[in-house]
Amino acid sequence: MAPILADAGVPMIFLQVPAMLLALIPVIAVEVYVARKMLKVSTGQNIKAVTIANIVSTLAGFPLAWILLVVVEILLGGGSAYGLDTFWKRVYAVTVQAPWLIPYDKGLNWMIPTAMAYLLIPAFFVSVFVERRICSFFWRDQEKERIRKFSWVAHFASYTVLIIVAAIYYWITGFHVIAN
């Protein structure tokens, strides 16, 4: 039997998906509000379409994107520790290695929240792409251009809320929950 090593790194999906699940209710609320303002669709249809779209993008879309990002990380040599001693090495570590953080001795207190914020970028585009298609299925009577515009506006609004909530959380906790 092989020994279990404690230096396997931090696969961010195990931190990101639970956080995304916690954020589903406020995200859905923001996107339903935007849909109500931009589209001529009943509130019930808005809630149904936006809820299903968000659940699918959270439970399927982001994990698939994360797998792709891990493959890119490996291809770019992100599976090796290059150190954190210079600014550019820290930038490299938290961007290229964001999907699966390398187990550096120090630095995870700032790397984990920074990687989570960085991973919101691909999550944003996955959400726009996946959710637009799902909402289009429910809102067949809407113009495609109108749904496209809704998707971008709704996601800018909901991701702004996510970033603000995350920033407040990390400011209040001072990273202590994650760092220790």
Side-chain angles (χ1 to χ4, degrees):
M1 189 180 227
I4 297 174
L5 302 176
D7 62 351
V10 181
M12 290 299 294
I13 194 164
F14 295 116
L15 299 175
Q16 198 84 4
V17 169
M20 292 170 91
L21 289 171
L22 287 173
L24 266 178
I25 300 298
V27 165
I28 290 169
V30 168
E31 292 180 14
V32 165
Y33 176 80
V34 172
R36 194 177 85 207
K37 294 294 184 185
M38 292 184 69
L39 303 170
K40 295 175 182 165
V41 179
S42 72
T43 302
Q45 280 185 306
N46 284 345
I47 293 170
K48 183 177 180 179
V50 169
T51 300
I52 291 170
N54 273 280
I55 290 170
V56 169
S57 70
T58 301
L59 297 178
F62 181 75
L64 290 173
W66 179 82
I67 290 168
L68 178 64
L69 290 169
V70 169
V71 170
V72 170
E73 176 179 349
I74 292 166
L75 293 174
L76 293 176
S80 300
Y82 295 103
L84 300 174
D85 49 328
T86 69
F87 172 77
W88 291 111
K89 286 182 180 179
R90 288 190 295 273
V91 169
Y92 177 83
V94 81
T95 55
V96 173
Q97 298 174 338
W100 197 306
L101 291 174
I102 300 302
Y104 292 101
D105 290 337
K106 296 179 182 176
L108 287 180
N109 62 327
W110 66 268
M111 290 177 74
I112 289 175
T114 305
M116 288 180 88
Y118 175 78
L119 289 171
L120 285 177
I121 297 167
F124 172 87
F125 289 105
V126 166
S127 296
V128 168
F129 179 79
V130 170
E131 293 176 30
R132 180 187 323 150
R133 277 144 185 81
I134 293 170
C135 288
S136 292
F137 173 79
F138 286 99
W139 300 331
R140 290 186 194 118
D141 58 332
Q142 295 292 310
E143 298 171 22
K144 295 288 184 199
E145 181 59 26
R146 196 175 202 127
I147 294 172
R148 187 192 67 75
K149 184 176 180 183
F150 155 78
S151 187
W152 286 104
V153 171
H155 286 91
F156 275 117
S158 63
Y159 275 74
T160 299
V161 169
L162 287 176
I163 290 167
I164 291 169
V165 168
I168 290 168
Y169 172 78
Y170 291 120
W171 178 71
I172 290 171
T173 64
F175 309 127
H176 300 299
V177 174
I178 293 173
N180 295 328

PDB file of all heavy atoms in Angstrom, residues 28 32 42-53 139:
ATOM      1  N   ILE A  28     -29.086  33.828  -8.358  1.00  0.00           N
ATOM      2  CA  ILE A  28     -30.380  33.615  -9.027  1.00  0.00           C
ATOM      3  C   ILE A  28     -31.272  34.831  -8.827  1.00  0.00           C
ATOM      4  O   ILE A  28     -31.916  35.301  -9.773  1.00  0.00           O
ATOM      5  CB  ILE A  28     -31.044  32.320  -8.526  1.00  0.00           C
ATOM      6  CG1 ILE A  28     -30.263  31.107  -9.042  1.00  0.00           C
ATOM      7  CG2 ILE A  28     -32.515  32.255  -8.945  1.00  0.00           C
ATOM      8  CD1 ILE A  28     -30.655  29.784  -8.397  1.00  0.00           C
ATOM      9  N   VAL A  32     -32.705  36.910 -11.923  1.00  0.00           N
ATOM     10  CA  VAL A  32     -34.157  36.977 -12.126  1.00  0.00           C
ATOM     11  C   VAL A  32     -34.595  38.433 -12.182  1.00  0.00           C
ATOM     12  O   VAL A  32     -35.435  38.817 -13.014  1.00  0.00           O
ATOM     13  CB  VAL A  32     -34.911  36.198 -11.015  1.00  0.00           C
ATOM     14  CG1 VAL A  32     -36.395  36.542 -10.993  1.00  0.00           C
ATOM     15  CG2 VAL A  32     -34.724  34.699 -11.200  1.00  0.00           C
ATOM     16  N   SER A  42     -42.789  35.947 -17.923  1.00  0.00           N
ATOM     17  CA  SER A  42     -43.410  35.923 -16.600  1.00  0.00           C
ATOM     18  C   SER A  42     -42.373  35.632 -15.522  1.00  0.00           C
ATOM     19  O   SER A  42     -41.341  35.008 -15.772  1.00  0.00           O
ATOM     20  CB  SER A  42     -44.512  34.861 -16.552  1.00  0.00           C
ATOM     21  OG  SER A  42     -43.941  33.568 -16.536  1.00  0.00           O
ATOM     22  N   THR A  43     -42.662  36.078 -14.326  1.00  0.00           N
ATOM     23  CA  THR A  43     -41.755  35.855 -13.201  1.00  0.00           C
ATOM     24  C   THR A  43     -41.515  34.365 -12.987  1.00  0.00           C
ATOM     25  O   THR A  43     -40.382  33.947 -12.731  1.00  0.00           O
ATOM     26  CB  THR A  43     -42.312  36.508 -11.916  1.00  0.00           C
ATOM     27  OG1 THR A  43     -42.492  37.907 -12.157  1.00  0.00           O
ATOM     28  CG2 THR A  43     -41.380  36.304 -10.744  1.00  0.00           C
ATOM     29  N   GLY A  44     -42.562  33.570 -13.112  1.00  0.00           N
ATOM     30  CA  GLY A  44     -42.423  32.114 -12.947  1.00  0.00           C
ATOM     31  C   GLY A  44     -41.475  31.518 -13.973  1.00  0.00           C
ATOM     32  O   GLY A  44     -40.621  30.686 -13.630  1.00  0.00           O
ATOM     33  N   GLN A  45     -41.597  31.944 -15.230  1.00  0.00           N
ATOM     34  CA  GLN A  45     -40.691  31.465 -16.279  1.00  0.00           C
ATOM     35  C   GLN A  45     -39.262  31.940 -16.022  1.00  0.00           C
ATOM     36  O   GLN A  45     -38.312  31.201 -16.267  1.00  0.00           O
ATOM     37  CB  GLN A  45     -41.135  31.962 -17.661  1.00  0.00           C
ATOM     38  CG  GLN A  45     -42.265  31.181 -18.280  1.00  0.00           C
ATOM     39  CD  GLN A  45     -42.514  31.691 -19.685  1.00  0.00           C
ATOM     40  OE1 GLN A  45     -42.729  32.876 -19.910  1.00  0.00           O
ATOM     41  NE2 GLN A  45     -42.460  30.775 -20.645  1.00  0.00           N
ATOM     42  N   ASN A  46     -39.118  33.185 -15.549  1.00  0.00           N
ATOM     43  CA  ASN A  46     -37.786  33.706 -15.223  1.00  0.00           C
ATOM     44  C   ASN A  46     -37.129  32.871 -14.132  1.00  0.00           C
ATOM     45  O   ASN A  46     -35.973  32.459 -14.278  1.00  0.00           O
ATOM     46  CB  ASN A  46     -37.863  35.159 -14.749  1.00  0.00           C
ATOM     47  CG  ASN A  46     -38.068  36.123 -15.880  1.00  0.00           C
ATOM     48  OD1 ASN A  46     -37.897  35.783 -17.051  1.00  0.00           O
ATOM     49  ND2 ASN A  46     -38.445  37.339 -15.544  1.00  0.00           N
ATOM     50  N   ILE A  47     -37.858  32.635 -13.058  1.00  0.00           N
ATOM     51  CA  ILE A  47     -37.303  31.877 -11.929  1.00  0.00           C
ATOM     52  C   ILE A  47     -36.921  30.473 -12.370  1.00  0.00           C
ATOM     53  O   ILE A  47     -35.823  29.996 -12.058  1.00  0.00           O
ATOM     54  CB  ILE A  47     -38.295  31.848 -10.746  1.00  0.00           C
ATOM     55  CG1 ILE A  47     -38.441  33.253 -10.166  1.00  0.00           C
ATOM     56  CG2 ILE A  47     -37.851  30.842  -9.683  1.00  0.00           C
ATOM     57  CD1 ILE A  47     -39.565  33.395  -9.151  1.00  0.00           C
ATOM     58  N   LYS A  48     -37.790  29.820 -13.125  1.00  0.00           N
ATOM     59  CA  LYS A  48     -37.520  28.450 -13.571  1.00  0.00           C
ATOM     60  C   LYS A  48     -36.287  28.389 -14.470  1.00  0.00           C
ATOM     61  O   LYS A  48     -35.364  27.597 -14.247  1.00  0.00           O
ATOM     62  CB  LYS A  48     -38.734  27.891 -14.312  1.00  0.00           C
ATOM     63  CG  LYS A  48     -38.582  26.457 -14.757  1.00  0.00           C
ATOM     64  CD  LYS A  48     -39.859  25.971 -15.427  1.00  0.00           C
ATOM     65  CE  LYS A  48     -39.734  24.535 -15.887  1.00  0.00           C
ATOM     66  NZ  LYS A  48     -40.972  24.062 -16.516  1.00  0.00           N
ATOM     67  N   ALA A  49     -36.250  29.237 -15.496  1.00  0.00           N
ATOM     68  CA  ALA A  49     -35.138  29.220 -16.458  1.00  0.00           C
ATOM     69  C   ALA A  49     -33.816  29.573 -15.790  1.00  0.00           C
ATOM     70  O   ALA A  49     -32.817  28.875 -15.963  1.00  0.00           O
ATOM     71  CB  ALA A  49     -35.434  30.175 -17.613  1.00  0.00           C
ATOM     72  N   VAL A  50     -33.806  30.650 -15.024  1.00  0.00           N
ATOM     73  CA  VAL A  50     -32.570  31.113 -14.397  1.00  0.00           C
ATOM     74  C   VAL A  50     -32.078  30.112 -13.351  1.00  0.00           C
ATOM     75  O   VAL A  50     -30.881  29.845 -13.251  1.00  0.00           O
ATOM     76  CB  VAL A  50     -32.765  32.528 -13.798  1.00  0.00           C
ATOM     77  CG1 VAL A  50     -31.606  32.931 -12.912  1.00  0.00           C
ATOM     78  CG2 VAL A  50     -32.966  33.551 -14.910  1.00  0.00           C
ATOM     79  N   THR A  51     -32.994  29.528 -12.587  1.00  0.00           N
ATOM     80  CA  THR A  51     -32.601  28.545 -11.561  1.00  0.00           C
ATOM     81  C   THR A  51     -31.994  27.306 -12.206  1.00  0.00           C
ATOM     82  O   THR A  51     -30.901  26.866 -11.809  1.00  0.00           O
ATOM     83  CB  THR A  51     -33.804  28.161 -10.689  1.00  0.00           C
ATOM     84  OG1 THR A  51     -34.302  29.346 -10.040  1.00  0.00           O
ATOM     85  CG2 THR A  51     -33.422  27.127  -9.646  1.00  0.00           C
ATOM     86  N   ILE A  52     -32.659  26.743 -13.185  1.00  0.00           N
ATOM     87  CA  ILE A  52     -32.136  25.546 -13.848  1.00  0.00           C
ATOM     88  C   ILE A  52     -30.809  25.849 -14.528  1.00  0.00           C
ATOM     89  O   ILE A  52     -29.848  25.082 -14.423  1.00  0.00           O
ATOM     90  CB  ILE A  52     -33.172  24.972 -14.845  1.00  0.00           C
ATOM     91  CG1 ILE A  52     -34.355  24.392 -14.066  1.00  0.00           C
ATOM     92  CG2 ILE A  52     -32.542  23.917 -15.749  1.00  0.00           C
ATOM     93  CD1 ILE A  52     -35.545  24.014 -14.921  1.00  0.00           C
ATOM     94  N   ALA A  53     -30.729  26.985 -15.204  1.00  0.00           N
ATOM     95  CA  ALA A  53     -29.493  27.365 -15.900  1.00  0.00           C
ATOM     96  C   ALA A  53     -28.327  27.498 -14.916  1.00  0.00           C
ATOM     97  O   ALA A  53     -27.220  27.023 -15.183  1.00  0.00           O
ATOM     98  CB  ALA A  53     -29.701  28.671 -16.665  1.00  0.00           C
ATOM     99  N   TRP A 139     -37.115  30.339 -23.076  1.00  0.00           N
ATOM    100  CA  TRP A 139     -37.649  31.594 -23.583  1.00  0.00           C
ATOM    101  C   TRP A 139     -37.641  31.607 -25.112  1.00  0.00           C
ATOM    102  O   TRP A 139     -37.118  32.522 -25.740  1.00  0.00           O
ATOM    103  CB  TRP A 139     -36.832  32.772 -23.063  1.00  0.00           C
ATOM    104  CG  TRP A 139     -36.802  32.886 -21.572  1.00  0.00           C
ATOM    105  CD1 TRP A 139     -37.754  32.496 -20.684  1.00  0.00           C
ATOM    106  CD2 TRP A 139     -35.748  33.447 -20.791  1.00  0.00           C
ATOM    107  NE1 TRP A 139     -37.360  32.775 -19.405  1.00  0.00           N
ATOM    108  CE2 TRP A 139     -36.129  33.359 -19.433  1.00  0.00           C
ATOM    109  CE3 TRP A 139     -34.518  34.008 -21.098  1.00  0.00           C
ATOM    110  CZ2 TRP A 139     -35.327  33.815 -18.399  1.00  0.00           C
ATOM    111  CZ3 TRP A 139     -33.709  34.466 -20.070  1.00  0.00           C
ATOM    112  CH2 TRP A 139     -34.118  34.370 -18.736  1.00  0.00           C
TER     113      TRP A 139
END
